[in-house]
């Protein structure tokens, strides 16, 4: 594990963002908080993520000690992923990020761009990645040249 420590930034906030930063890491963690999942289950839960990216992000989180990968000796082999104790410590942080995302969308008048996630209940997901409503000040700002 020494090589991983070398790759991570020394500033704590930057280090945390490096470990959990990634398009699908928060989504993967959210579902692993419910219990162990196979790759096929995670793919079903995050259908817009390619299998390659899911595997890559799972491996990174495993290297950083927040995800455990268990291989069962059977034919065909079965692999399950679960959140470690350190991974579970991120649960309130992921919940806080969801709440902040709702407040941010409301502040930018983009709340209409969010819809309830069928499995997350009141936690919301974007209808379109990066979409802002037309009434958003950012959406109306001229582009720099």
């Amino acid at each position: 594990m020494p090589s991983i420590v070398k790759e991570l930034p020394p500033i704590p906030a930057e280090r945390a963002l490096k470990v959990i930063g990634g398009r699908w890491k928060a989504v993967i963690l959210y579902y692993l908080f419910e219990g162990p999942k196979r790759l096929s289950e995670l793919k079903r839960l995050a259908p817009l993520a390619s299998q390659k990216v899911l595997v890559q992000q799972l491996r990174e989180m495993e290297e950083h000690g927040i995800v455990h990968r268990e291989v069962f000796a059977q034919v065909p082999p079965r692999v399950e992923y679960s959140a470690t104790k350190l991974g579970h410590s991120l649960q309130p942080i992921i919940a806080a990020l969801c709440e902040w995302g709702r407040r941010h969308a409301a502040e930018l008048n983009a709340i209409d761009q969010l819809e309830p996630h069928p499995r997350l209940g009141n936690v919301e997901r974007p209808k379109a990645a990066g979409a802002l409503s037309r009434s958003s000040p950012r959406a109306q700002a001229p582009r720099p040249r």
Side-chain angles (χ1 to χ4, degrees), residues 64-76:
H64 292 114
I66 59 175
V67 167
H68 173 72
R69 179 179 185 260
E70 185 171 357
V71 181
F72 293 89
Q74 62 185 54
V75 177

Side-chain angles (χ1 to χ4, degrees), residues 53-108:
V53 170
L54 284 176
V55 168
Q56 182 181 28
Q57 296 203 341
L58 282 161
R59 284 183 182 157
E60 287 175 17
M61 290 189 291
E62 183 182 10
E63 286 178 16
H64 292 114
I66 59 175
V67 167
H68 173 72
R69 179 179 185 260
E70 185 171 357
V71 181
F72 293 89
Q74 62 185 54
V75 177
R78 186 181 82 188
V79 178
E80 283 187 351
Y81 297 92
S82 57
T84 63
K85 184 177 179 182
L86 184 59
H88 275 284
S89 70
L90 291 166
Q91 204 164 4
I93 295 165
I94 300 296
L97 285 171
C98 290
E99 178 57 33
W100 186 88
R102 279 193 293 280
R103 285 196 319 259
H104 181 258
E107 191 71 26
L108 294 179

